Structure formats: C-alpha cells, structure tokens
Amino acid sequence: MNRKYRKTVIAGNWKMNKTPSETKEFMTQFKAIMPKGRWCDIALCVPAVCIPAAVRAMRETRVGIGAENVNANASGAYTGEIAANMLVDAGCKYVIIGHSERRAMGETDADVNAKVLAALEVGLVPIMCCGETLEQREAGITAEHIAMQIKLGLQGVSEDKIRKVVIAYEPIWAIGTGKTATPEQAEEVCESIRTVVRKLYSSKNARAISILYGGSMNEKNAYELLAQPDIDGGLIGGASLVPEKFVQIIEAANQPTV
Ligand code: PEP
C-alpha cells in the first residue's frame, strides 16, 4: 500500500450469505469492535435485500455499503434487475462489478464495461474485478489475460473518472479455496495492472488508483499482502462474514506506508 498517493480500501463481499436480520446482528457486533482510526476506507458489499438493513445500521459510521452487482441499463423491462441509481437511492456507495462468480454465470468483459460506466455515471464506486484461472496461470498468460480484462473493462472511462474506479485482482484459483497467492505473486500482478492503467491514463492517475487483492485473504495473511507496494487493500469474502476477522484485517491495514 502507499497511502501517500492513494486510498487503502478494505472491502467485504458477502456473496449470497446472511439474511437482513443476520445483517443487523453482524452490524451491531461489528460496530462495537470497529477500529476508530482512519487509515483505510471500509466497504461492505452485501446481498441486495440486505442493503437497507446495512445502510440503516451504518448510517452514523464511516463504513460504506455496497452492492454485489448492478444492471447497466438505467431503467426498463429487466425483471429482477437493479439499476445503478436505485443503489444510490438505497444508500450504496460501492458496487462490485465483474466478480469471477458472475463471469462464470456468463458476464462478459463488455457487460463489465457497461456496468462500470453505469456506476460511474451515478457516482457509485465500481470495484471492478479481474483474475486468471489456474490453467491461465500455468500457461504463463496471466499478465496478458489481466491486461485484456482491464483494457476492455475500462473502455470509455475518461481520464477524470478513472480515479473513482477501484480494481480488485482476484486469482480465481484463490477465491474461497483457502489457497492465497503469495504476496510476491499478488504484487507482481497488481503492479502489472498499474502499468496497464499507466499506459491508458496519466502516470498521476495510475499512481492514484487503488488496486485490491482478493482470494482467501484473512486475518493471518492480510498484513503481509497489504505490505506490498501496489496492493492497496483487500476484497474479502469468507473472512468478512465474521466481525472479529474483518476487524483484524482492517487492523492489518494500519501499517507504515512504503
Ligand atoms: C471474493 O469473494 O471476492 C473472495 C475473495 O472470497 P474469499 O475471500 O472467500 O476467497
């Protein structure tokens, strides 16, 4: 991380876990032990039905609530979908876009791009995910694959909006598997993402963008991962469901900047 130039962001991704009642319970416990320091931004991305309970519970705090998906269209005949302005009106600040679990359901880079643009349009912070499969890593094409996802995902994002985008590098083989990328592996890819952003935008903006690592980050490995110069935070699945673990990861982000 490098707090001189960019924000550190610790974001939870609850996936399809917790009901609205359980959300209320979690927030009560989390609020009681939440660190007071302001060394990082904190986000909790929750299932759509939990957003009202999460927003209500966190109203007086600095925790930003987020969604886990958004529809790229502004409104219309898209049964079951949720538009970006609806998320804003519900109190969301963040939205995860292009998580590998959604890509596995058929979401393409073009979909990701349209969603990123829709989020930015209404002032939501998109947490745009990218990541390689184990096969791609073993074939030695990680950097090319990630570069392609970043370029396609950011198409049409203007120079003045790029700083609002948060990028999450999440190797698919590390998500929910207990297998974490080593700090060196994660840093190598996060650095390469910044290089791609630098080629597309100004150096100043590439230096200012927050790049997170996600993939079995937990209270034990967070400090070492977050100590890497180009890892500006974490996108955390399993460990964000337990208040004590999530708090310990936030605490791990309290380290001297490089
Ligand atoms: C995720 O869902 O984005 C994730 C990284 O999950 P986990 O931390 O459980 O691997």
Side-chain angles (χ1 to χ4, degrees):
M1 63 176 64
N2 187 329
R3 280 207 298 278
K4 187 167 165 211
Y5 295 119
R6 45 194 179 256
K7 281 182 182 171
T8 303
V9 182
I10 300 296
N13 171 20
W14 279 7
K15 314 190 188 202
M16 200 171 73
N17 292 296
K18 296 197 189 289
T19 62
S21 315
E22 289 165 346
T23 300
K24 201 175 159 198
E25 231 170 87
F26 174 98
M27 296 301 171
T28 305
Q29 291 169 18
F30 178 51
K31 267 202 285 195
I33 56 171
M34 205 172 80
K36 299 277 175 289
R38 291 188 167 257
W39 51 83
C40 64
D41 286 1
I42 305 170
L44 274 167
C45 299
V46 303
V49 293
C50 300
I51 291 169
V55 168
R56 211 174 306 122
M58 289 293 142
R59 195 165 283 145
E60 304 297 318
T61 75
R62 65 199 186 85
V63 177
I65 300 304
E68 300 175 6
N69 184 32
V70 65
N71 189 284
N73 297 287
S75 64
Y78 303 100
T79 302
E81 292 293 295
I82 299 175
N85 70 331
M86 297 175 185
L87 295 178
V88 172
D89 196 61
C92 285
K93 186 173 170 205
Y94 299 90
V95 59
I96 297 174
I97 295 174
H99 192 281
S100 59
E101 288 156 14
R102 294 212 58 85
R103 290 180 189 258
M105 293 176 215
E107 198 162 295
T108 64
D109 285 312
D111 296 329
V112 171
N113 178 236
K115 291 178 182 200
V116 167
L117 295 173
L120 289 172
E121 186 66 32
V122 298
L124 278 173
V125 175
I127 302 178
M128 188 182 89
C129 302
C130 61
E132 82 287 5
T133 62
L134 190 57
E135 292 69 33
Q136 287 166 328
R137 173 159 285 267
E138 285 172 354
I141 57 167
T142 299
E144 289 85 346
H145 174 71
I146 303 282
M148 187 68 81
Q149 286 186 320
I150 298 295
K151 285 180 196 163
L152 293 172
L154 293 178
Q155 263 186 22
V157 175
S158 59
E159 188 78 51
D160 64 313
K161 291 261 176 78
I162 186 62
R163 278 174 188 241
K164 306 231 163 72
V165 178
V166 171
I167 296 175
Y169 165 55
E170 299 208 306
I172 296 169
W173 47 272
I175 298 177
T177 58
K179 271 189 218 154
T180 321
T182 63
E184 294 72 27
Q185 283 173 324
E187 167 62 18
E188 188 184 18
V189 179
C190 290
E191 191 193 6
S192 80
I193 292 172
R194 201 176 306 284
T195 303
V196 173
V197 176
R198 192 176 299 114
K199 284 184 185 149
L200 298 171
Y201 300 93
S202 68
S203 305
K204 218 170 154 189
N205 280 336
R207 198 173 62 181
I209 192 167
S210 299
I211 302 173
L212 318 184
Y213 167 77
S216 300
M217 188 186 264
N218 59 37
E219 69 286 4
K220 294 189 187 81
N221 57 31
Y223 191 94
E224 238 198 308
L225 286 160
L226 296 170
Q228 301 301 312
D230 288 286
I231 301 181
D232 307 308
L235 181 56
I236 300 123
S240 73
L241 294 166
V242 182
E244 291 76 13
K245 289 187 181 180
F246 195 52
V247 162
Q248 283 180 59
I249 296 173
I250 295 167
E251 301 276 10
N254 184 16
Q255 36 181 298
T257 191
V258 286

